[in-house]
Amino acid sequence: MNIKKLFSFSKKAKIFNLFDKAIETKSSEILLKALHFVFKEQIDLDYVNYFMRLLPEAWHEEHEEIINLIWLHNLNDDVFSDVLYLIAVNPETYRKYDDENESILRKCIHVLREINSEKSNLYIEKLKSLNNPNVYFALENYN
């Protein structure tokens, strides 16, 4: 293994250790530190397990940041569909600071749309049935 790959692996291991510690201790502070490092890295499929463990948790308020990472790094895996729908329909638990534009809801829709599976498309249809204008606004980009 060359030095560059070893250094990259070492940084990833450090981030994963921080994720593990944040999850174990339910520490938002440690999670924020891990996410700070993640934003500087190339995200790959190795992160999917951690994001899946973190997204449904209500002890932190970093759902939007994690959804951003999934969306921006094209981790469009159907494994996220259930939890994205959960976040979209539970604003009091997962979107406490969403304003009238509901940016987290919109990002959930964007990722569900990018996943483009039978399940994610079913969730989009369910969200459309809520008659929320922000759902339609997010979907306008795909017409």
Side-chain angles (χ1 to χ4, degrees):
M1 185 178 286
N2 69 31
I3 298 296
K4 187 175 182 179
K5 283 186 180 181
L6 185 60
F7 184 67
S8 176
F9 176 78
S10 172
K11 287 196 296 187
K12 187 186 281 189
K14 180 179 180 177
I15 292 167
F16 290 171
N17 285 335
L18 285 170
F19 279 146
D20 285 331
K21 190 170 183 179
I23 292 167
E24 178 184 319
T25 61
K26 296 185 187 316
S27 170
S28 293
E29 188 175 309
I30 295 171
L31 177 57
L32 283 170
K33 184 183 229 180
L35 290 172
H36 172 77
F37 289 119
V38 169
F39 275 102
K40 298 176 181 179
E41 296 301 314
Q42 178 61 38
I43 307 301
D44 58 28
L45 294 175
D46 293 341
Y47 287 81
V48 168
N49 180 50
Y50 286 100
F51 294 162
M52 277 303 301
R53 290 171 59 197
L54 288 162
L55 277 174
E57 294 293 334
W59 55 262
H60 68 83
E61 296 172 350
E62 308 311 319
H63 302 92
E64 185 169 15
E65 287 74 13
I66 297 168
I67 293 167
N68 279 338
L69 288 166
I70 293 167
W71 187 24
L72 295 173
H73 292 278
N74 297 313
L75 299 178
N76 304 321
D77 192 314
D78 202 26
V79 71
F80 292 117
S81 293
D82 292 332
V83 72
L84 290 168
Y85 180 74
L86 178 73
I87 292 168
V89 297
N90 289 291
E92 56 285 332
T93 302
Y94 298 106
R95 302 188 291 119
K96 296 174 191 166
Y97 302 106
D98 250 1
D99 61 15
E100 66 276 355
N101 293 321
E102 297 181 292
S103 65
I104 299 172
L105 168 67
R106 290 181 185 195
K107 289 174 184 176
C108 287
I109 292 166
H110 287 302
V111 177
L112 286 167
R113 183 67 178 91
E114 292 296 319
I115 291 170
N116 196 24
S117 69
E118 186 176 329
K119 184 191 295 187
S120 69
N121 291 330
L122 175 65
Y123 284 140
I124 288 171
E125 291 304 314
K126 286 182 175 185
L127 290 168
K128 285 165 72 174
S129 74
L130 300 175
N131 292 318
N132 179 327
N134 287 312
V135 171
Y136 292 105
F137 184 83
L139 290 170
E140 282 179 5
N141 296 316
Y142 301 98
N143 292 332

